[in-house]
């Protein structure tokens, strides 16, 4: 991600005092990315009052993501939940699945079917998430599975797609 874009996104997430010359902790970067994946994606009409971001695994990321609670996305107030099971995954608009829970991704994909849930993971080489956060040297990058998003009724915006390191497009 371009440095000026990242700084802007961090200011949105954490406020102006968060952007300094020192390195940004990885969990803060991931939280920023996840928030912006959601902001730069179009959802079908929702019948829920809130916008639910769920974290499965990675309790430290869930703690950092709590800073997003109360912010607004797509005209809805954000709530953040750390999930201990898969029972409520269809209540999420964004579901982050930590690498240590990657074994659950095929089951999650099956349980969600074509539900409008943006799945995000940092698990290596997974094809069961719409967005995959990947290390790129000392930075983080991401890949977008456009076909998986389409099947879920989600439309990643042009800005998101232009920043992605890699895109998986529908095969015709």
């Amino acid at each position: 991600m371009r440095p000026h874009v990242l700084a802007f996104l961090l200011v949105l997430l954490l406020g102006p005092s968060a952007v300094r010359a020192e390195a940004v902790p990885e969990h803060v970067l991931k939280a920023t990315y996840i928030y912006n994946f959601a902001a730069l994606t179009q959802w079908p009409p929702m019948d829920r009052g809130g916008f639910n971001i769920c974290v499965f695994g990675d309790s430290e990321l869930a703690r950092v993501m709590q800073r997003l609670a109360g912010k607004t996305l797509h005209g809805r107030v954000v709530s953040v939940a750390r999930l201990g099971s898969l029972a409520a995954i269809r209540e999420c608009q964004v579901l982050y699945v930590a690498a240590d829970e990657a074994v659950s991704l095929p089951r999650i994909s099956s349980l969600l079917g074509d539900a409008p849930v943006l799945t995000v993971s940092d698990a290596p080489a997974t094809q069961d998430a719409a967005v995959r956060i990947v290390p790129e040297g000392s930075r983080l990058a991401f890949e977008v599975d456009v076909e998986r998003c389409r099947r879920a009724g989600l439309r990643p915006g042009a800005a998101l797609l232009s920043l992605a390191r890699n895109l998986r497009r529908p095969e015709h």
Side-chain angles (χ1 to χ4, degrees):
M1 186 171 281
R2 296 178 190 112
H4 67 282
V5 174
L6 179 58
F8 174 73
L9 299 177
L10 285 171
V11 168
L12 284 177
L13 177 64
L14 301 173
S17 64
V19 181
R20 298 184 187 96
E22 68 254 13
V24 177
E26 184 173 311
H27 285 94
V28 173
L29 281 176
K30 285 181 183 178
T32 303
Y33 277 39
I34 292 165
Y35 178 85
N36 286 288
F37 297 155
L40 297 172
T41 298
Q42 291 181 341
W43 263 259
M46 294 184 245
D47 57 357
R48 296 187 183 111
F51 192 96
N52 301 321
I53 299 176
C54 304
V55 178
F56 186 55
D58 199 339
S59 59
E60 178 61 20
L61 180 64
R63 186 189 64 73
V64 170
M65 298 231 20
Q66 283 300 324
R67 298 176 186 171
L68 298 172
K71 293 195 179 295
T72 304
L73 269 172
H74 302 289
R76 300 177 185 283
V77 176
V78 172
S79 65
V80 177
R82 182 168 185 271
L83 303 180
S85 74
L86 300 177
I89 62 173
R90 292 180 74 89
E91 299 301 315
C92 307
Q93 275 72 52
V94 177
L95 174 62
Y96 172 81
V97 180
D100 60 341
E101 295 290 348
V103 68
S104 300
L105 278 164
R107 183 165 178 249
I108 289 168
S109 184
S110 175
L111 289 170
L112 288 175
D114 61 357
V117 176
L118 183 68
T119 52
V120 179
S121 185
D122 60 355
T126 184
Q127 297 203 5
D128 291 305
V131 180
R132 188 168 74 97
I133 299 172
V134 294
E136 192 170 75
S138 62
R139 299 171 27 186
L140 293 177
F142 62 92
E143 301 172 342
V144 177
D145 185 334
V146 178
E147 173 61 15
R148 183 167 294 282
C149 290
R150 185 198 62 75
R151 286 193 314 257
L154 305 173
R155 292 188 9 204
L160 179 62
L161 296 177
S162 72
L163 293 170
R165 179 183 84 163
N166 190 19
L167 300 175
R168 182 170 167 226
R169 299 207 179 260
E171 297 178 19
H172 295 282

